[in-house]
Amino acid sequence: MQGHEIGLSVRSGDRSQPPLVLCNGIGASLKALAPLVDALRTGREVIRFDVPGTGSSPAPVIPYSMAWMAHILGELLDRLGHDRADVLGYSWGGALAQQFALQNPVRCRKVVLLCTMTGVIGFPGQLQALSRMVTPRRHRDGRYAERVAGRLYGGTMRTRPGPAGKALGARTRAASRRGYLYQLMAGAGWTSTPFLPLMRQRTLILAGDDDPIIPVRNGRMMKMLLPHATLRVLPGGHLDPLTHPAPWARLIDAFLDSERSR
């Protein structure tokens, strides 16, 4: 797309329904989303991709914006032959999902916002957690990921941090240093807060009740701003959708498959 190679994974499904496109968190490759994809029971096509600079997608020469990345996502759907899609955004990917929905009011049918927020105009997480987000070390060093998992991600990681190393370790092909920096820069000045009242898509907001990175009040804020949103708060932290995905996947399946004819 526009001269950029994009790593891609597609789980085949019923093409009479819009596919589900997953937008990942910062620094992680599409492999990190595999447990959530495996837990989803929807029969539709499920699409994952590596943001430039992550996984098998080479880093671009210059930084990019959320608007540019949303445009690239549209080109990706064109290549795959899809006129419409449902979009799920996890963490950093939630910003991209919101941007895509705002730029594509007809093409984007439904939106799932998973452990995410509205960008710089929102409620910041705990300083101790955010300070560990400035580098991709947790994605490269599984043992380090386990050591910091409880304080960084909360939820089940506080008592059972072992899965953090598997979910975020080197086997997931984390972002390059430049790729990670570009993701940080894309989100640094971005916000959806003034525009969320314009979003017409039905939206499911899922938040963990113990998320040090993105406090649950961000979900409540989005619920107030979005005209057609439902908020569900689940027990758990920021990483639970990837390490303990079953309850999250059930809510996503039910939301996507409701009112299928719309």
Side-chain angles (χ1 to χ4, degrees):
M1 276 63 69
Q2 294 191 350
H4 297 278
E5 297 179 18
I6 300 293
L8 185 67
S9 176
V10 179
R11 189 180 80 178
S12 61
D14 179 8
R15 289 182 66 93
S16 69
Q17 292 292 317
L20 174 63
V21 182
L22 275 61
C23 305
N24 207 353
I26 189 169
S29 78
L30 60 83
K31 292 184 178 180
L33 291 168
L36 178 61
V37 173
D38 291 342
L40 292 171
R41 299 297 177 230
T42 180
R44 71 189 65 229
E45 192 172 288
V46 180
I47 301 167
R48 290 175 285 159
F49 64 96
D50 283 329
V51 171
T54 300
S56 58
S57 297
V61 176
I62 60 175
Y64 56 86
S65 66
M66 281 293 176
W68 178 86
M69 194 61 232
H71 175 74
I72 293 297
L73 180 53
E75 288 196 355
L76 177 63
L77 289 171
D78 288 340
R79 294 285 185 91
L80 295 173
H82 292 294
D83 295 327
R84 300 186 75 197
D86 296 330
V87 179
L88 180 152
Y90 167 66
S91 193
W92 183 94
L96 177 55
Q98 292 171 67
Q99 185 68 41
F100 181 79
L102 288 165
Q103 289 179 206
N104 299 273
V106 175
R107 188 171 202 179
C108 181
R109 189 188 68 137
K110 291 184 180 181
V111 181
V112 179
L113 300 177
L114 184 58
C115 298
T116 192
M117 62 183 296
T118 57
V120 294
I121 303 178
F123 298 101
Q126 297 175 13
L127 182 60
Q128 187 180 43
L130 296 179
S131 66
R132 291 183 167 86
M133 299 285 291
V134 297
T135 75
R137 182 182 175 186
R138 65 196 183 282
H139 292 288
R140 300 177 178 277
D141 185 342
R143 292 183 179 179
Y144 174 77
E146 290 181 25
R147 289 202 305 272
V148 303
R151 295 186 298 275
L152 181 57
Y153 297 113
T156 57
M157 296 297 102
R158 295 193 188 278
T159 55
R160 299 189 299 278
K166 295 179 180 179
L168 299 174
R171 72 177 182 85
T172 64
R173 299 188 66 183
S176 65
R177 292 187 181 278
R178 185 171 65 178
Y180 194 86
L181 175 62
Y182 285 179
Q183 283 190 275
L184 284 174
M185 293 174 67
W190 177 89
T191 184
S192 62
T193 303
F195 309 107
L196 287 188
L198 304 177
M199 268 182 61
R200 310 329 281 177
Q201 294 92 343
R202 288 187 60 211
T203 304
L204 174 65
I205 305 166
L206 298 178
D209 64 0
D210 180 23
D211 188 339
I213 297 175
I214 300 180
V216 69
R217 53 185 173 172
N218 286 285
R220 297 191 180 105
M221 175 180 173
M222 289 189 293
K223 171 66 171 64
M224 291 176 59
L225 293 173
L226 285 162
H228 308 291
T230 300
L231 170 66
R232 296 292 299 271
V233 179
L234 285 77
H238 196 75
L239 204 58
D240 280 67
L242 307 185
T243 59
H244 299 80
W248 307 77
R250 282 194 293 269
L251 292 173
I252 295 167
D253 280 331
F255 172 71
L256 294 178
D257 291 338
S258 64
E259 302 178 28
R260 292 170 63 94
S261 61
R262 290 194 176 184

